[in-house]
Amino acid sequence: QGVRLGTARIVLHNSPEYQVLASPQHVFLVPAAAGCATTSKFLLIWHPEKAEFTITAPSAGFIHSKVLRSSSESDFKKLLLGSVGLLSGFAPLDIHTSTVSNSGGLLLVSTKGSVSVVEPDGTQRHIFDLEGGPLAHGSPVQLKTFGSILACVLAGVLYLVDQNSGRLVEKEVLSMKEVHFLECQGEEDSIQLLSQSGIYSLSFSKPEDNSRPEPCLVEMVFEEACRYYQRRSLSSSKLTVEKLKKGGTFQAPVVLAAILQHSLHQKQKPARSLQDSYTKLLSTVSLELQSYMSLELLKTCVVCAPESEVESYCKELVEQEVSRILQSDMDKDNLAYLNSVFASFPKAAWRATRSCLQLQQNGDGLLVARATPEVWKKVLCQPQLEEVGQNGMVPLFELICASFLRFKPKWLPSFVELTQQYVSSSWSYGSKEGPEGRVPLYKRALGVLAQKNKHGEADEEMELELLLCSKRPKAVLQALHLLIHLKRWQRVVEVAEKFSKLSPLLNKEIFITLLAEFAQHRELDPYLDRLWPLCPAELTASDILTTVLQHLPHSQEEPVPFSSEGNQLTVGLLKPLLQRVVQRPSVQDEMYSDALQSSTFP
């Protein structure tokens, strides 16, 4: 009575059959039957105030939105014209029950028992999974929202779920199978159910302090403790949270839960008294609790912040998360989480790494790091082979090397050198426990470089620096051969002079390599004055001549005394080296030199 409707107006022509579900601001059109292959794959949302249609597929989210300004554009086929190809690839909708929530969203229950909500903007969010597996076609599911609580009734069981977190607040087995939710205007803290025997009210108002349910964090403590103790347990029986609380054996999670309940709610109400033994422990973990609270506050800021401020919050959040993980056990879950952080926020992760390792250049331009031994061990740890490579997961050392290559490539060789210094001071050479027991660190860095070079030009200079910074004989010789291949003779001689001092064996290998090159071409002739002093003491003139003769280039023509080519080796070029070797005092002379110079010698 008293309602006057205006003239009827067609919103959409040629539309298939839809179930119409209206909220105060929006109208949801849910396919009534799975007759048409294409139309059963999406939902339509009509916004009357804007005269706008939104196409959404719960499996893919928002697809397309169109404002219908005239009657010619309100044709169903024209509305779908630009999205048919995209829609054809989606799976048909799996809807068992649908209803509108009091917040204006569309609640959907799939035949598998999954409850989700489709918002008016077309996005979908999963809330909860009902127990009992797939739902039969005839089994009804009642849905109703009361504030932030979602109530579901299935087969005589009432589920109360927090829509924001998806957590099961309460589960009640009802004495009646069929019930109907009644509308309760302004009463969001109670549910009224209509059944065959009468009307029932179920209150879920906040209990008193003495019966306050445990917060999510405390539940997480017990669940994490279950995982930890199960991993260490020799028994095959499954450990549950109930057993953990009632057993009396595992005191650590009980104590931690008590401390959390005491300290996390001090602002809302006066703190409860703690046992003396708990108070001492609280003083120890108070800083950790403060950092945890600041981290949770920061996460809330990221979620609620305007778009302009999100980036600055993300930088701080990533730095705190990277720091937190580097101070905890580097298990498979933490490593996978770090991989996702480095992939999602590369620049923020790079800054966080620099901050955690305290990387900076000193006055001489050398890279220094002031990280603690515990952090170094986590950076250098190499997971088991079967754990690496799962879903593209890479170890932390490789993640950091990739960040260096992206943001500060000049620092990478110095960083690898720093890590090797830490390894040599912490583990014996070749120790199986150390990070170099399986693959040397410079090879792991070269692997990251090779991965980058797949997608761009080869960085030969960086490869050289990584080989040389390792100071390993094989790596130095590999770098020397690479420089010879590139014909960078000035750098070849510099590397030879620098690394010949490391060991007599490496000195001999370097000299013979360069002597072989000298025998083949005349590129090293300008550097002979620097090359000959590198000759090892144990090399004789016959050794030198043998090496030279073995590496002389093979000519196709008959040898002639006076060649016109000018690139052949002559005795004159070798003369300074041979004179140096012949005039050098023999080892035996050096042994008796002290006795020969003695005044008491008869």
Side-chain angles (χ1 to χ4, degrees), residues 480-511:
L480 198 67
H481 285 294
L482 181 59
L483 283 168
I484 289 169
H485 173 71
L486 296 171
K487 300 186 185 299
R488 295 171 58 182
W489 305 111
Q490 173 76 24
R491 187 80 196 280
V492 165
V493 176
E494 289 172 0
V495 168
E497 286 177 331
K498 181 179 178 182
F499 290 95
S500 290
K501 300 171 186 174
L502 289 182
S503 74
L505 191 62
L506 182 58
N507 180 19
K508 185 178 179 180
E509 290 284 344
I510 289 174
F511 184 78

Side-chain angles (χ1 to χ4, degrees), residues 224-233 239 244 250 252-253:
E224 189 68 27
C226 274
R227 286 173 58 192
Y228 174 73
Y229 289 123
Q230 190 75 55
R231 203 163 55 234
R232 295 183 57 191
S233 174
L239 185 64
L244 203 66
F250 309 103

Side-chain angles (χ1 to χ4, degrees), residues 9 11 13 39 120 159 217 253 331 339 343 352 380 467 473 489 542 558:
R9 185 167 63 90
V11 176
H13 290 281
T39 57
Y159 300 89
L217 180 62
D331 57 11
N339 272 257
L380 299 177
L467 287 167
W489 305 111
S542 59
E558 288 293 322

Side-chain angles (χ1 to χ4, degrees), residues 227-510:
R227 286 173 58 192
Y228 174 73
Y229 289 123
Q230 190 75 55
R231 203 163 55 234
R232 295 183 57 191
S233 174
L234 299 175
S235 172
S236 58
S237 62
K238 184 75 175 173
L239 185 64
T240 61
V241 175
E242 287 73 21
K243 286 181 185 176
L244 203 66
K245 291 178 183 177
K246 294 174 184 175
T249 312
F250 309 103
Q251 287 299 303
V254 177
V255 173
L256 184 56
I259 287 173
L260 290 172
Q261 284 179 322
H262 163 82
S263 54
L264 292 182
H265 298 277
Q266 286 182 355
K267 293 179 182 177
Q268 286 86 356
K269 60 189 179 75
R272 292 176 292 169
S273 59
L274 266 180
Q275 296 180 22
D276 291 339
S277 57
Y278 290 8
T279 309
K280 291 178 183 176
L281 187 58
L282 176 59
S283 64
T284 309
V285 298
S286 59
L287 289 175
E288 298 292 336
L289 277 172
Q290 287 173 19
S291 66
Y292 172 80
M293 289 299 289
S294 65
L295 189 60
E296 289 302 307
L297 184 65
L298 186 59
K299 287 179 180 177
T300 310
C301 291
V302 171
V303 173
C304 306
E307 198 169 337
S308 58
E309 298 175 15
V310 167
E311 189 177 353
S312 62
Y313 281 129
C314 281
K315 287 177 186 175
E316 192 179 342
L317 179 58
V318 168
E319 186 166 333
Q320 289 199 31
E321 286 289 70
V322 171
S323 175
R324 179 182 66 81
I325 292 173
L326 286 179
Q327 290 169 6
S328 57
D329 293 335
M330 189 56 69
D331 57 11
K332 193 165 63 173
D333 294 338
N334 278 341
L335 186 58
Y337 179 51
L338 267 182
N339 272 257
S340 65
V341 168
F342 272 77
S344 305
F345 308 99
K347 197 165 187 177
W350 158 244
R351 290 183 178 180
T353 304
R354 281 184 60 178
S355 175
C356 291
L357 296 177
Q358 298 186 50
L359 287 169
Q360 56 189 8
Q361 280 183 315
N362 62 10
D364 301 327
L366 299 172
L367 189 68
V368 292
R370 294 184 177 84
T372 60
E374 289 74 20
V375 172
W376 271 125
K377 284 181 181 178
K378 290 180 178 68
V379 169
L380 299 177
C381 75
Q382 191 173 15
Q384 297 299 320
L385 292 174
E386 59 268 13
E387 293 180 4
V388 182
Q390 294 179 355
N391 301 321
M393 189 170 68
V394 296
L396 179 57
F397 178 76
E398 277 77 351
L399 282 177
I400 294 174
C401 287
S403 286
F404 270 104
L405 281 173
R406 183 168 181 178
F407 298 105
K408 202 79 171 176
K410 289 182 180 179
W411 283 13
L412 179 58
S414 303
F415 172 72
V416 175
E417 203 167 350
L418 274 177
T419 57
Q420 289 175 156
Q421 287 172 12
Y422 173 75
V423 168
S424 61
S425 64
S426 303
W427 288 281
S428 59
Y429 180 77
S431 167
K432 290 291 176 68
E433 289 79 18
E436 294 209 336
R438 291 188 287 270
V439 182
L441 292 169
Y442 81 94
K443 284 191 177 179
R444 291 171 66 179
L446 283 170
V448 177
L449 180 65
Q451 197 69 30
K452 183 197 172 193
N453 290 345
K454 280 183 183 178
H455 311 293
E457 294 182 4
D459 193 345
E460 290 168 339
E461 187 61 37
M462 180 60 71
E463 186 179 348
L464 279 169
E465 291 298 328
L466 287 173
L467 287 167
L468 294 174
C469 78
S470 72
K471 297 180 182 176
R472 291 198 171 197
K474 284 185 179 179
V476 171
L477 288 171
Q478 188 180 340
L480 198 67
H481 285 294
L482 181 59
L483 283 168
I484 289 169
H485 173 71
L486 296 171
K487 300 186 185 299
R488 295 171 58 182
W489 305 111
Q490 173 76 24
R491 187 80 196 280
V492 165
V493 176
E494 289 172 0
V495 168
E497 286 177 331
K498 181 179 178 182
F499 290 95
S500 290
K501 300 171 186 174
L502 289 182
S503 74
L505 191 62
L506 182 58
N507 180 19
K508 185 178 179 180
E509 290 284 344
I510 289 174

Side-chain angles (χ1 to χ4, degrees), residues 14 45 76 87 94 134 184 186 200 221-222 261 286 352 364 378 394 466:
N14 299 323
I45 306 171
F76 180 77
L87 292 168
D94 179 17
C184 308
Y200 296 88
V221 167
F222 284 110
Q261 284 179 322
S286 59
D364 301 327
K378 290 180 178 68
V394 296
L466 287 173

